[in-house]
Amino acid sequence: MKQNRRHFLKMSAMAAASLTAPSLFSACTPSRKKQLKATMNLSWKPYNLQLNHTFTISGFSRKTTPIVLVKIEYDGLEGYGEASLPPYLGETQDSVIEFLKKVDLSAFTPSREMEEVIAYLDGIVEGNTAAKAAVDIALHDLVGKIEETPWYKIYGLDKYKVPDTTFTIGIDTDDVVREKTREALGRFNILKVKVGGPDDKRMIEAIRSETDLPLAVDANQGWKDRRQALDMIFWMKERGVVMVEQPMPKEDLDSIARLTEESPLPIFADESIQRLSDVERLKGIFSGINIKLMKCTGMHEAWKMRELVQSLGMKVMIGCMTETSCAISAAAQLYSGMDFADLDGALLIGNDCFEGATLERGKIIASDLPGIGVKPIQELTFFSYRD
Ligand code: MG
């Protein structure tokens, strides 16, 4: 990974230094003059994702997920991004649009060196991480399209060297759990089971009546007692569970640290982690970190997080919300070399409005289109504050 990072820095430095390479940084060319005149125009579209199944995790159920799609137009090109807004994270379509109305990109020129524009976005207001991620993803898409290159190549990654994606099975009746398991067979190589409900063992047994595929489990903070959690983890390991996500309440770090120490399976942080600044304090508490674009403000920070997590000797996975192929394809650009992946978000919805990364033999593989590798598959009308 360090090699990849060095490669990336080297590529960026070469691009910045070169006057002959066809790059964004080339000085005094006609296209450069033209680009200086162009400005980035931001617009958005609220959209509601229809989930194929009612989704239950420890705490609540739902059938839809609101999102806001973002488009940045620049010099005849369009970059797309997305904010996914599951209700428990606190952002809404209104709060995202409120944020987007404050964003003025006219002072910036798109380039792969994004420190300034990302710092500007982050400084507009606190929080609003999904709204910031939407703009970040659209910027990445735009820059990749200007460079006519997909981001996995800019990162120096092999798009095929990725972990299998899990397919998520929510807390449900035995019949539904078995039906969802059968639905996954032949398409996925690992399943993710939502536990932390009243009868976790029954859920695992129901799946085991259909398949021997390895299982990841996500308790979503649902286990409250460390000893019971540890007993459950030992029981699950005997039944082919390979990793555990967020076993206990996010603030109970002392209990989680002891659980991680005693657990025969790796323990990943999800609810306990939000952004880059949270990573270091979780070393020694969790075995690994789940990175989600919607929580960490997008690809720019996600890349820094994976670098830091791996440099600390921790495991790393990529996760998602229910999202269209837009945000999933953005995540697919940067997860090569990670330990686990949970990128089934676009496969759980019935009204995806983009095509991009696809499921191939149990893995989510980025397309070869430039940028984040997506195109809309239906007419989408975007709005801006000028409309
Ligand atoms: Mg989780």
Side-chain angles (χ1 to χ4, degrees):
M1 197 61 262
K2 275 179 185 158
Q3 239 176 353
N4 290 332
R5 178 63 180 160
R6 275 202 298 274
H7 178 62
F8 176 54
L9 288 172
K10 193 172 141 206
M11 283 176 62
S12 304
M14 280 168 58
S18 169
L19 293 179
T20 50
S23 85
L24 295 172
F25 303 93
S26 301
C28 305
T29 62
S31 67
R32 172 71 173 156
K33 279 181 196 155
K34 191 178 165 203
Q35 281 171 15
L36 282 174
K37 282 183 205 155
T39 56
M40 290 189 277
N41 291 314
L42 182 72
S43 54
W44 52 82
K45 177 184 178 54
Y47 191 80
N48 288 306
L49 303 181
Q50 306 297 324
L51 310 189
N52 294 333
H53 293 283
T54 300
F55 194 60
T56 302
I57 64 170
S58 178
F60 66 93
S61 303
R62 67 176 198 276
K63 192 77 209 275
T64 63
T65 301
I67 66 167
V68 177
L69 299 168
V70 162
K71 180 168 74 174
I72 299 176
E73 289 166 280
Y74 178 82
D75 205 19
L77 295 171
E78 295 173 340
Y80 291 100
E82 171 178 358
S84 174
L85 310 160
Y88 59 90
L89 291 179
E91 290 181 76
T92 63
Q93 288 174 331
D94 284 347
S95 72
V96 171
I97 291 167
E98 207 50 47
F99 175 84
L100 296 173
K101 285 179 177 172
K102 296 188 178 99
V103 175
D104 178 4
L105 297 175
S106 62
F108 299 97
T109 305
S111 90
R112 63 168 76 168
E113 295 298 309
M114 292 191 196
E115 285 304 328
E116 270 186 43
V117 65
I118 297 295
Y120 158 73
L121 287 170
D122 210 14
I124 293 175
V125 284
E126 282 273 302
N128 292 266
T129 58
K132 290 170 184 172
V135 182
D136 165 288
I137 293 168
L139 280 169
H140 279 79
D141 193 30
L142 178 65
V143 168
K145 282 171 173 164
I146 292 170
E147 299 201 24
E148 298 178 347
T149 309
W151 267 90
Y152 73 84
K153 285 190 180 166
I154 296 175
Y155 289 129
L157 299 175
D158 179 341
K159 71 173 188 173
Y160 293 105
K161 288 196 174 156
V162 293
D164 292 315
T165 185
T166 52
F167 177 73
T168 302
I169 297 178
I171 295 170
D172 226 313
T173 62
D174 283 9
D175 284 349
V176 176
V177 167
R178 280 198 290 266
E179 181 201 322
K180 286 186 187 171
T181 304
R182 284 193 296 271
E183 198 182 297
L185 296 183
R187 300 169 65 212
F188 297 92
N189 304 318
I190 179 170
L191 304 179
K192 174 164 163 174
V193 189
K194 292 290 190 178
V195 294
D199 201 351
D200 295 341
K201 289 185 178 177
R202 203 206 67 221
M203 286 271 299
I204 302 287
E205 301 283 18
I207 292 168
R208 280 289 168 255
S209 70
E210 300 289 339
T211 178
D212 291 328
L213 283 179
L215 303 177
V217 298
D218 187 351
N220 290 109
Q221 316 181 71
W223 295 334
K224 307 300 179 199
D225 180 271
R226 182 178 59 82
R227 291 232 147 269
Q228 285 175 8
L230 187 63
D231 287 347
M232 186 62 86
I233 290 169
F234 273 102
W235 184 88
M236 287 180 168
K237 182 173 187 290
E238 294 303 305
R239 282 149 189 86
V241 172
V242 296
M243 66 89 90
V244 178
E245 209 179 303
Q246 198 68 44
M248 299 185 66
K250 60 182 178 184
E251 54 288 318
D252 193 1
L253 297 180
D254 288 344
S255 296
I256 294 171
R258 287 190 63 189
L259 185 62
T260 299
E261 212 177 292
E262 296 171 320
S263 169
L265 297 176
I267 308 287
F268 280 73
D270 184 3
E271 286 86 341
S272 290
I273 178 87
Q274 176 91 14
R275 298 191 56 176
L276 180 67
S277 55
D278 302 321
V279 170
E280 286 206 71
R281 72 185 170 87
L282 296 181
K283 181 177 165 58
I285 296 173
F286 288 91
S287 327
I289 299 287
N290 185 350
I291 298 175
K292 291 177 173 169
L293 298 183
M294 295 302 141
K295 287 168 62 180
C296 76
T297 72
M299 296 169 73
H300 185 79
E301 188 156 317
W303 182 260
K304 290 184 175 182
M305 282 174 81
R306 77 165 279 173
E307 292 273 283
L308 179 58
V309 171
Q310 290 183 321
S311 76
L312 292 171
M314 298 174 78
K315 293 181 185 297
V316 62
M317 66 176 283
I318 189 94
C320 66
M321 312 297 172
T322 38
E323 297 166 357
T324 73
S325 286
C326 179
I328 295 296
S329 298
Q333 300 292 331
L334 54 72
Y335 83 114
S336 175
M338 289 194 184
D339 300 288
F340 289 98
D342 178 23
L343 288 181
D344 62 350
L347 304 169
L348 303 175
I349 59 172
N351 61 339
D352 196 349
C353 49
F354 282 89
E355 65 181 25
T358 50
L359 181 68
E360 294 178 26
R361 277 172 271 168
K363 299 176 191 294
I364 297 290
I365 304 294
S367 81
D368 281 322
L369 295 170
I372 61 167
V374 296
K375 57 182 179 190
I377 50 174
Q378 67 187 65
E379 191 72 33
L380 298 168
T381 308
F382 285 76
F383 308 93
S384 77
Y385 58 88
R386 282 175 299 279
D387 294 334

